[in-house]
Amino acid sequence: MSSAKTKTGSKKAHGYTKAAPKPSLSKEDRQRKYYNSLCDQLEGDHLENALKTTNKLLALDPEDADAIQIHLFLLLKTSRYQDALKVTESKPHQFKFERAYALYRLQRENDAAELLADEDDRAVLLLKAQISYRQGHYADALEIYNDLLSTSSPALEEYADIQTNIDATETNLNFLQSGFLTSIHQLPARPKNQSLEDTPLPSLNLTQISSVAVDTKDAGGASKNVAPKPKSPRKSRIPKGVIPGVTPPPDPERWIKKSERTKVETGGHKKRKAGGGGATQGSMAPEQSQKPSTGGGKSGKKKK
């Protein structure tokens, strides 16, 4: 107890006071804070974080129309179609298009087509054309696509998408109308009394295999042994910075001592002269030979 009192007393002496708790935000302030975060997340394309923010908004107000709309959009954008269907069940008439799109992505084309039977909005027409294409009603899909293309502008992004869908629809429609006849004529002939179900499968095209077999024979027709092509080393086993066939190979005697190698590399270092710098302890410098002094100079004069 005394130690606790001394600690609190020292804190008061130094001017430390416990911070007061922050006042809790009101519901409106929290909604405003979440919507500001949601705008930043949508602008930065952070869809997962935006989905969590819409969950917080719906926890504050489950009847928030804007939060429900954005939440449903994010579920469709992140391919959570089953969860999107659950959201549309509460208000099926308000979210008819979103519900039909989720059914279409879940391979329930008939249910989606029933929901859009009485709708003629541009987005609905585009979805109708996609449903008709998937159901195999290429003529209906082509008609809708042509109507949409006639009311679109080449400067818009949807113009190229619609044109691509038209090309794909026409290809399938032409095959069903006349293209299949060409494929039938290309089938091999069968006996008169044989049905189509009993006809054997056509033989495989072996032109590529025969060409390879011819290449392995010499001019006389006799087959020759072709040496197998050496396998290239794995990229994971090649050291960094080494290019096979370009970088010179390493020295095979690099693991042997230099004194025991067959080729000893002589370094370019100069030999040190005897008596030079760096002499070891105990070494003595060689004595210098004294030459007899000759006349001239101060060193040759005798003292009187």
Side-chain angles (χ1 to χ4, degrees):
M1 292 294 290
S2 61
S3 61
K5 288 181 179 180
T6 54
K7 288 182 180 179
T8 54
S10 61
K11 288 183 180 180
K12 290 181 180 179
H14 289 83
Y16 297 125
T17 56
K18 188 177 180 180
K22 294 182 180 180
S24 59
L25 298 176
S26 62
K27 179 181 177 181
E28 291 76 11
D29 293 338
R30 293 171 67 185
Q31 285 179 333
R32 189 180 301 107
K33 177 182 176 181
Y34 289 150
Y35 271 114
N36 291 334
S37 300
L38 184 60
C39 291
D40 296 337
Q41 290 163 354
L42 291 175
E43 186 177 356
D45 202 22
H46 305 296
L47 302 183
E48 295 293 337
N49 294 336
L51 194 59
K52 295 177 182 178
T53 305
T54 54
N55 289 329
K56 295 178 182 179
L57 287 169
L58 292 175
L60 290 176
D61 186 6
E63 300 298 327
D64 190 349
D66 295 333
I68 294 174
Q69 185 71 46
I70 300 173
H71 184 70
L72 182 57
F73 165 77
L74 291 172
L75 289 176
L76 295 174
K77 194 73 174 176
T78 54
S79 303
R80 293 179 171 88
Y81 305 116
Q82 200 65 44
D83 296 336
L85 277 181
K86 295 179 181 179
V87 175
T88 58
E89 287 175 356
S90 59
K91 298 178 181 179
H93 298 287
Q94 180 179 353
F95 302 117
K96 184 180 290 187
F97 174 78
E98 289 82 358
R99 183 174 180 82
Y101 181 76
L103 291 171
Y104 164 74
R105 297 305 298 263
L106 292 173
Q107 310 295 329
R108 297 169 58 180
E109 294 84 5
N110 295 331
D111 296 337
E114 291 178 3
L115 284 175
L116 302 177
D118 301 331
E119 302 292 333
D120 56 354
D121 187 56
R122 188 173 184 83
V124 173
L125 290 176
L126 184 59
L127 183 56
K128 278 184 177 182
Q130 293 175 350
I131 294 173
S132 299
Y133 179 86
R134 185 178 288 182
Q135 290 177 331
H137 305 155
Y138 301 116
D140 298 339
L142 185 61
E143 183 180 357
I144 297 175
Y145 281 135
N146 287 328
D147 293 340
L148 292 172
L149 189 67
S150 62
T151 56
S152 181
S153 173
L156 298 177
E157 186 178 356
E158 69 166 10
Y159 189 89
D161 296 336
I162 295 173
Q163 187 63 55
T164 303
N165 293 337
I166 287 176
D167 296 340
T169 307
E170 286 180 345
T171 301
N172 288 278
L173 188 61
N174 292 335
F175 178 79
L176 292 178
Q177 291 177 350
S178 59
F180 71 97
L181 297 174
T182 306
S183 301
I184 291 176
H185 292 313
Q186 292 177 354
L187 293 175
R190 68 178 188 275
K192 294 182 179 180
N193 298 330
Q194 190 177 20
S195 61
L196 182 62
E197 290 79 5
D198 299 333
T199 305
L201 294 174
S203 59
L204 296 175
N205 188 7
L206 303 179
T207 55
Q208 185 176 1
I209 300 176
S210 61
S211 63
V212 174
V214 171
D215 293 337
T216 57
K217 294 182 180 181
D218 55 8
S223 60
K224 57 182 180 180
N225 296 327
V226 180
K229 189 175 182 180
K231 294 183 179 180
S232 58
R234 296 181 183 177
K235 292 184 178 179
S236 59
R237 296 183 178 181
I238 299 175
K240 186 177 181 182
V242 175
I243 303 175
V246 178
T247 306
D251 187 5
E253 298 181 352
R254 61 185 180 276
W255 309 114
I256 307 174
K257 293 181 179 180
K258 290 185 177 181
S259 58
E260 298 177 0
R261 296 183 187 179
T262 56
K263 295 181 180 180
V264 180
E265 296 181 359
T266 57
H269 301 287
K270 296 181 179 179
K271 294 183 178 180
R272 293 179 178 177
K273 296 182 179 179
T280 57
Q281 186 177 2
S283 62
M284 298 178 62
E287 297 181 355
Q288 296 180 356
S289 59
Q290 296 181 356
K291 294 181 179 180
S293 58
T294 57
K298 294 182 180 180
S299 58
K301 291 182 179 181
K302 294 181 181 181
K303 293 183 181 180
K304 292 179 180 182

